[in-house]
Amino acid sequence: MSTDPFGTERLRAAVLRAWADSPTRFTEDTNTENDLRVGGYRDRLFVELAQNAADAALAAGDRGRLRVSVVDGELRFANTGAPLDARGVESLASLRASGKGEETVGRFGVGFAAVLTVSAEPRIVSVTGGVAFSAARTRAEADRTGDVPVLRLPWPVAEDEPPVPEGFTTEVRLPLREGVDGQVLLADLKNDIGDLLLTLPWLESVEVEGGVWRRSDLGDGVVEIASPDGSEHWQVHRGEVVWAVPLDGSGSPRPLGEDVLHAPTPTDDELSLPARLIATLPIEPSRRRALPGPELTAALKNAAREYVDLVCSLPGKERLALVPGAGFPRSTVDGTLREAILENLSDSPWLPAQAGDDLPGRQARVLSVDVPGLAPLLADLVPGLISLSGVDLRAVGARSLSPAEAIELLTGAQREPSWWRSLYDVLLPALEAHDLTKDDLGALPVPMSDGRTLPGVRDALLVGGSAELLELLSDVDIIGLRLVHPAAAHPLLERLGAKHAEASDLLEADALSAAVERSVEDVRSGLDGMALAGAVLRLIAEVGDEAPEWAGALALPSEDGWRRADELVLPTSPLGDIFDPEVFEEDGALSVLDEEFAEDWPMATLVAVGVLDSFAIITDDEPLEPEHGLPDEHEWWDSRERPPSRVLAVRDLDLVGDDAWPEALRLLAARPETWRALTEPGGHTGWWLARYALLDGQAPLDWRMPEAPALAGLYDVVPDSGLSKEILLAAGVRTELGADAEDVEDLLERLGDPERKVSPGLASRAHAALAEYTVDVPAPDRVRAADGSAVDARDAVVLDVPWFAAVLPPERMVVAASGAAALAELLDLPVASGLDAKVTEDGEYVPWTELSALRLAADQLGVEPPEGGVLLHEALTVTFEDAEHEVAWWSDGRLHAADTPEGLGRAFAWATDRWADRHVLTALLDDPSPSALLN
């Protein structure tokens, strides 16, 4: 075999002569190759070599294989197909010419310059021979330094060059430049192999590091790209161009959205189409962008026409995935293609019609919401309706049909009830998936049992085939009661608001509640109320005697005519003896249920509709206003610091007779529900009973329990009425002194009553309780003084400082355990500290620390003497109201004390804020020994 089978010596000689004849030619070649290496082909190494492998396979007429590996620091590409020939070598060394044929993509054209991005010493070895390029040998041959055009001077490969790997015809060997990592290059290649196999149909497989990527044609335009990590499938249309869209695991299209133009290998022209375009188009020499011009425009419009063929190759329900979405074009090519594709989809048939052949976009109507099964039902009602739904196809001229519009088309349609049920079958899943809303189906027609088909399900009742329920209502004329035809009954109607005509559902029907609410008026106007009363009571009995709130309005017969159920009392109820007889007079608040009628129904059923057998309960867990009809409810509401969080109360307490309260209280205590209401903390029932119930003619709050002697004088012991202690306490009989804003005036009256014997201690505690409330009440004429007497308020003074107790007589002082200032304001009385009193003589100032006896006493109590001191007097005299009074201590802004244990003890206790220890201090000053403290 020749050592130079491709005539590289001749090629080198020609190039060297050209460089010698034209000194600028060398520079031009160097610059051109640099431009290709760092510009147009800087990141196209794998693409260009894969193109060459595909062209070799095409030239050989057999699908090709490519293997990529790193061997001894070289990146190697081995491929099958036609081997290297002299024409190919000439193309490699020309920089400006390519030996490729019309059918090929690359085949050793200028794209081979991409190898220079990773190697300065590339070699190509084939079964027909080899050729090598070298930057170093080129510099030596051309006698140059720096950059040189590597691919202009080819050499034969060395005689010891290893042969092409078995099973392959050609291998490109690229010794890697310093800093180029072969493993990184292989990793990058793995990300691109799938796209290369799809783009290059003559390339069957690519092997990298033992992993194989393989392309297979599965038929019907489906191409499989298998890889070590799995496989992906593409739907491909081949005509003058190739369109391809990836498929998901179920075989449905998975639109791309972001891609580039493949002409036929990837360019830099971005596309936003659902499918990939692979076409032979005019492109720039760098192969990076399409070449603008009339030829490109014509080619793109032709590609757009074939796009419709790709769309039609998909099943009808999947074609919508290929409609280009809205958005700005990513490139000029993208804009041209999108516009042309949408125009073709508007004018060419591709949309599967519900009835007949495919339709162009402009002739189609599409349901704006995808409701499977709905289109076939509407086919004869909507001309041009397609079988695809849920996509906005205005871009291709289609008219959208909203759910509300579709429902409107059904209005007046005459169909069998079973047809309507079929319609409901397809609408229910869409409603559950939130594709449709209840508003969309608000006017949905519903066939009734009487043969009518009415729009909407408002107040419709689903009776199924229950003859029993139909018979139940057959004798009752209820306006607006709409019963659905049994053959059309469906869960959808229930979701939209229709009610099952079971007893509980019928009780929720607005028409029935309206009939009950006007039932008394209807009966009094001459209509028969017995049928409605019987029907409602039977329904309530069926649901376990649980009645809706409106059932209390049901007209029932009573002793004096027809009355509301909640205005009636059972003939056997103890309330007949507890309520005031006036309650049962004609036109009174209540009446007694007709005895014969009462015998026909279980008591529990009658009670459920509101007929009273005992006290009724009112419950409201979210009260907003005092609107529950309870006696004095507004007064109770206003008495609270904040509105109640719930209302649990007994109704009709104000109807109890004055002398029936003991029995009424026993009845309230006998039933758990009324007892809970009675004992509800802060509840209305306990509040009202304490003030308005009568025990021996007085409210429970006016009495005290026998176990509360501390209240003796202000409150009398509750008379014996046979009630238990628990009932008396729940009713409000007092056990301790307590006043609230409502009781202030009563307590003031009791304190000022001279007939009452009130101890000074109880008076002081009562005054402290009064001081806690700021209310506007008339000032009392008489008040309770410190000696326990009731005195004229004009002579009284509230003792707010302790030293005035020495000059004020007990019958003038009003004393409170706390809150003297507030008490004085409430009683409209002066305070003692505001009275005029003077110390008659100045005393001798002595610091606390110089009073040795006082220091000893303070030390035993653990009290540090404060700063300052006291004015000591041999005898301390105060002038008050034109009289002199000898006192133990005083304060006029300065502390005065008689030089006695009592005087010093009180002054020191006041100065140290230890007023409660004044008696201990006095005792210690009199006897400072530890035994005095212990005693």
Side-chain angles (χ1 to χ4, degrees):
M1 173 183 274
S2 171
T3 59
D4 189 9
F6 302 122
T8 61
E9 183 177 1
R10 175 180 56 81
L11 294 175
R12 291 196 307 275
V15 171
L16 291 171
R17 282 196 304 272
W19 287 351
D21 293 341
S22 176
T24 61
R25 180 65 181 270
F26 177 86
T27 302
E28 291 174 358
D29 287 351
T30 300
N31 290 341
T32 298
E33 191 174 272
N34 281 340
D35 288 344
L36 294 173
R37 175 169 58 85
V38 303
Y41 291 90
R42 65 182 182 276
D43 53 3
R44 296 178 61 86
L45 171 65
F46 298 131
V47 172
E48 296 299 332
L49 294 183
Q51 288 175 353
N52 290 336
D55 291 341
L58 174 62
D62 193 14
R63 300 280 297 280
R65 295 181 292 111
L66 174 65
R67 185 175 74 186
V68 186
S69 59
V70 175
V71 179
D72 298 331
E74 293 184 345
L75 181 65
R76 296 185 177 182
F77 291 79
N79 62 268
T80 61
L84 182 66
D85 58 18
R87 185 180 179 189
V89 173
E90 290 178 2
S91 297
L92 288 170
S94 70
L95 281 184
R96 297 172 179 83
S98 173
K100 69 179 180 179
E102 292 182 359
E103 302 261 339
T104 61
V105 177
R107 195 59 183 144
F108 298 127
V110 293
F112 188 73
V115 302
L116 299 178
T117 60
V118 300
S119 178
E121 309 288 330
R123 307 189 310 281
I124 302 176
V125 181
S126 188
V127 294
T128 55
V131 62
F133 298 90
S134 169
R137 294 178 71 178
T138 299
R139 291 189 191 97
E141 191 77 17
D143 192 19
R144 303 281 181 142
T145 59
D147 287 342
V148 294
V150 177
L151 299 181
R152 293 291 279 130
L153 300 182
W155 279 272
V157 295
E159 292 184 2
D160 59 352
E161 180 74 32
V164 177
E166 185 177 355
F168 295 90
T169 58
T170 304
E171 185 173 58
V172 177
R173 297 170 179 174
L174 304 175
L176 295 176
R177 295 178 183 270
E178 184 178 355
V180 176
D181 189 330
Q183 294 302 318
V184 173
L185 291 174
L186 292 182
D188 291 341
L189 170 60
K190 291 176 182 178
N191 295 329
D192 298 333
I193 294 176
D195 287 347
L196 289 173
L197 287 173
L198 179 67
T199 302
L200 304 172
W202 280 98
L203 196 58
E204 180 180 51
S205 67
V206 176
E207 178 184 347
V208 180
E209 294 185 310
V212 178
W213 284 254
R214 189 177 303 279
R215 171 195 173 111
S216 302
D217 291 318
L218 303 182
D220 294 329
V222 178
V223 173
E224 178 185 50
I225 307 295
S227 74
D229 296 327
S231 62
E232 60 180 15
H233 295 80
W234 294 72
Q235 181 72 37
V236 178
H237 162 75
R238 292 189 176 278
E240 294 185 23
V241 300
V242 174
W243 283 102
V245 62
L247 305 176
D248 62 20
S250 64
S252 298
R254 180 167 48 84
L256 291 174
E258 294 184 9
D259 199 17
V260 295
L261 172 67
H262 288 64
T265 53
T267 69
D268 287 347
D269 285 312
E270 296 185 11
L271 298 181
S272 62
L273 299 174
R276 174 172 295 171
L277 173 60
I278 305 170
T280 301
L281 301 172
I283 59 173
E284 296 176 349
S286 67
R287 304 186 62 82
R288 303 191 74 85
R289 292 193 179 277
L291 185 66
E295 292 183 1
L296 176 63
T297 300
L300 293 178
K301 288 187 176 181
N302 179 64
R305 284 191 292 273
E306 294 196 21
Y307 188 86
V308 179
D309 296 329
L310 173 67
V311 173
C312 292
S313 71
L314 295 172
K317 65 180 181 179
E318 296 176 349
R319 295 176 184 177
L320 296 181
L322 294 190
V323 177
F328 291 105
R330 294 180 176 272
S331 64
T332 302
V333 171
D334 189 36
T336 302
L337 273 174
R338 284 163 55 89
E339 183 179 348
I341 286 173
L342 291 174
E343 182 178 351
N344 279 279
L345 292 176
S346 299
D347 297 332
S348 302
W350 65 279
L351 285 169
Q354 188 56 56
D357 298 329
D358 289 350
L359 296 169
R362 297 193 207 286
Q363 298 178 16
R365 294 196 73 179
V366 56
L367 291 171
S368 63
V369 176
D370 185 14
V371 181
L374 179 58
L377 293 171
L378 300 180
D380 60 340
L381 297 173
V382 185
L385 184 66
I386 62 173
S387 60
L388 304 175
S389 306
V391 173
D392 184 358
L393 291 178
R394 288 177 295 180
V396 297
R399 290 174 295 166
S400 178
L401 184 67
S402 71
E405 291 171 329
I407 297 303
E408 184 178 350
L409 293 173
L410 295 172
T411 302
Q414 298 300 315
R415 297 290 190 273
E416 292 297 322
S418 59
W419 184 92
W420 291 105
R421 184 178 178 87
S422 299
L423 175 65
Y424 304 155
D425 280 338
V426 303
L427 294 179
L428 178 58
L431 181 65
E432 292 175 336
H434 305 292
D435 294 329
L436 296 178
T437 67
K438 291 183 179 181
D439 289 341
D440 293 332
L441 304 178
L444 182 66
V446 181
M448 299 288 119
S449 294
D450 60 6
R452 297 175 299 159
T453 299
L454 301 179
V457 300
R458 185 173 181 270
D459 299 329
L461 300 176
L462 298 167
V463 299
S466 173
E468 182 180 356
L469 285 178
L470 290 173
E471 182 181 357
L472 179 68
L473 299 171
S474 61
D475 295 333
V476 184
D477 183 14
I478 300 176
I479 298 174
L481 194 63
R482 302 168 62 188
L483 305 180
V484 179
H485 194 288
H490 193 277
L492 173 69
L493 302 180
E494 183 181 1
R495 289 287 301 273
L496 295 178
K499 302 296 182 182
H500 279 289
E502 305 296 337
S504 58
D505 300 312
L506 284 171
L507 289 172
E508 295 178 5
D510 291 342
L512 183 59
S513 64
V516 168
E517 288 171 355
R518 65 173 182 269
S519 60
V520 172
E521 180 181 350
D522 288 346
V523 171
R524 291 176 178 175
S525 65
L527 297 179
D528 179 17
M530 196 63 72
L532 179 63
V536 172
L537 288 174
R538 284 155 63 190
L539 289 172
I540 291 173
E542 286 191 21
V543 300
D545 296 323
E546 294 184 5
E549 292 184 5
W550 49 258
L554 180 65
L556 296 178
S558 72
E559 292 180 347
D560 58 357
W562 288 77
R563 300 283 292 267
R564 289 173 55 103
D566 56 11
E567 294 178 356
L568 294 173
V569 177
L570 288 174
T572 57
S573 171
L575 295 178
D577 298 325
I578 291 175
F579 285 162
D580 192 300
E582 293 183 1
V583 170
F584 299 103
E585 293 180 357
E586 188 175 356
D587 296 329
L590 299 175
S591 184
V592 178
L593 182 66
D594 179 80
E595 188 171 355
E596 291 186 6
F597 186 88
E599 291 175 354
D600 291 337
W601 296 97
M603 183 177 69
T605 303
L606 295 172
V607 170
V609 298
V611 181
L612 298 175
D613 73 323
S614 184
F615 284 105
I617 296 293
I618 290 177
T619 302
D620 185 353
D621 290 329
E622 295 181 359
L624 299 177
E625 298 290 341
E627 298 177 353
H628 303 87
L630 298 171
D632 303 290
E633 183 178 5
H634 284 82
E635 182 182 349
W636 166 67
W637 198 282
D638 294 339
S639 70
R640 302 174 57 90
E641 292 183 4
R642 59 180 61 89
S645 58
R646 76 165 181 167
V647 172
L648 174 63
V650 177
R651 202 188 78 184
D652 301 327
L653 293 174
D654 53 338
L655 304 183
V656 175
D658 291 348
D659 57 353
W661 275 107
E663 186 59 32
L665 290 172
R666 275 189 283 269
L667 183 60
L668 289 170
R671 301 203 175 191
E673 60 273 17
T674 52
W675 180 251
R676 279 195 297 271
L678 175 57
T679 56
E680 172 86 353
H684 172 272
T685 301
W687 174 89
W688 194 90
L689 290 175
R691 287 157 180 77
Y692 300 104
L694 293 176
L695 298 176
D696 199 19
Q698 296 187 55
L701 276 178
D702 294 337
W703 301 107
R704 67 175 175 87
M705 295 295 291
E707 297 84 3
L711 301 182
L714 281 178
Y715 299 97
D716 298 330
V717 175
V718 61
D720 184 12
S721 57
L723 297 174
S724 68
K725 175 181 177 181
E726 290 75 16
I727 295 177
L728 292 173
L729 291 174
V733 178
R734 296 181 182 272
T735 59
E736 60 184 17
L737 183 64
D740 57 26
E742 300 175 69
D743 296 334
V744 167
E745 197 167 352
D746 174 70
L747 187 53
L748 288 176
E749 183 179 346
R750 290 174 181 272
L751 286 169
D753 184 358
E755 298 299 321
R756 292 188 175 275
K757 303 300 182 183
V758 180
S759 69
L762 178 57
S764 176
R765 294 191 298 276
H767 287 147
L770 288 169
E772 294 181 6
Y773 297 93
T774 303
V775 293
D776 185 14
V777 297
D781 295 330
R782 303 185 70 83
V783 295
R784 190 67 58 168
D787 63 352
S789 62
V791 300
D792 193 323
R794 292 173 295 181
D795 299 327
V797 176
V798 174
L799 185 67
D800 62 332
V801 290
W803 52 88
F804 266 95
V807 299
L808 283 169
E811 64 271 15
R812 290 189 60 194
M813 288 188 295
V814 176
V815 178
S818 60
L823 178 65
E825 184 175 354
L826 176 68
L827 301 179
D828 195 18
L829 295 179
V831 293
S833 61
L835 301 178
D836 186 20
K838 293 183 180 180
V839 177
T840 57
E841 295 180 359
D842 290 336
E844 179 185 359
Y845 176 78
V846 181
W848 296 113
T849 56
E850 293 182 8
L851 296 169
S852 57
L854 190 60
R855 287 203 311 274
L856 289 174
D859 181 63
Q860 292 199 61
L861 291 177
V863 178
E864 288 289 335
E867 295 181 1
V870 65
L871 294 171
L872 280 181
H873 299 256
E874 288 293 330
L876 178 58
T877 304
V878 175
T879 302
F880 174 65
E881 294 183 347
D882 300 328
E884 290 187 351
H885 302 266
E886 187 172 343
V887 298
W889 73 295
W890 198 262
S891 175
D892 55 5
R894 302 174 301 169
L895 278 176
H896 300 262
D899 192 5
T900 64
E902 182 182 4
L904 284 172
R906 279 163 169 72
F908 187 73
W910 186 262
T912 57
D913 199 22
R914 299 288 292 264
W915 185 245
D917 295 329
R918 60 192 182 279
H919 302 297
V920 179
L921 283 166
T922 299
L924 289 173
L925 287 171
D926 188 49
D927 178 6
S929 66
S931 60
L933 180 62
L934 294 175
N935 290 332

